[in-house]
Amino acid sequence: MKTSKISLCPFCSAFINKVFLSEDGWGSQVKCKCGASGPAHEMTTKEFNKGISREDMAEKAIELWNVGGMENPPIVNYKIYIDIN
Ligand SMILES: [Zn+2]
């Protein structure tokens, strides 16, 4: 379990507790159980070169999800899942 500040879902107000990584590890995205999803983060060359961790990839997706979100997002325990789609 990782911990981060994650805005509640703007559509269903649920706490977000899943962050998805693509199977190849090059992309990450926050998804809510209601079907809402945040912008996908794609690993940059710079991130690749410094050997970005899975956790940091997840954090990038969370940052994108939080843009325009709550002013003080709750601290949430989340898990990283591999998205096989
Ligand atoms: Zn939702």
Side-chain angles (χ1 to χ4, degrees), residues 27-81:
S28 57
Q29 189 174 33
V30 169
K31 290 183 187 177
C32 178
K33 58 191 175 189
C34 76
S37 57
H41 173 73
E42 288 185 32
M43 193 188 295
T44 63
T45 307
K46 195 175 168 187
E47 290 165 353
F48 175 79
N49 288 338
K50 75 171 185 184
I52 188 170
S53 67
R54 288 160 48 87
E55 289 73 19
D56 284 343
M57 279 294 289
E59 288 293 331
K60 294 287 180 183
I62 292 168
E63 285 172 23
L64 291 175
W65 171 265
N66 285 343
V67 170
M70 305 170 76
E71 201 169 319
N72 290 302
I75 295 171
V76 176
N77 288 318
Y78 71 90
K79 276 185 78 174
I80 297 172
Y81 290 82

Side-chain angles (χ1 to χ4, degrees), residues 9-14 16 32-36 65:
C9 178
F11 301 98
C12 73
S13 301
I16 300 296
C32 178
K33 58 191 175 189
C34 76
W65 171 265

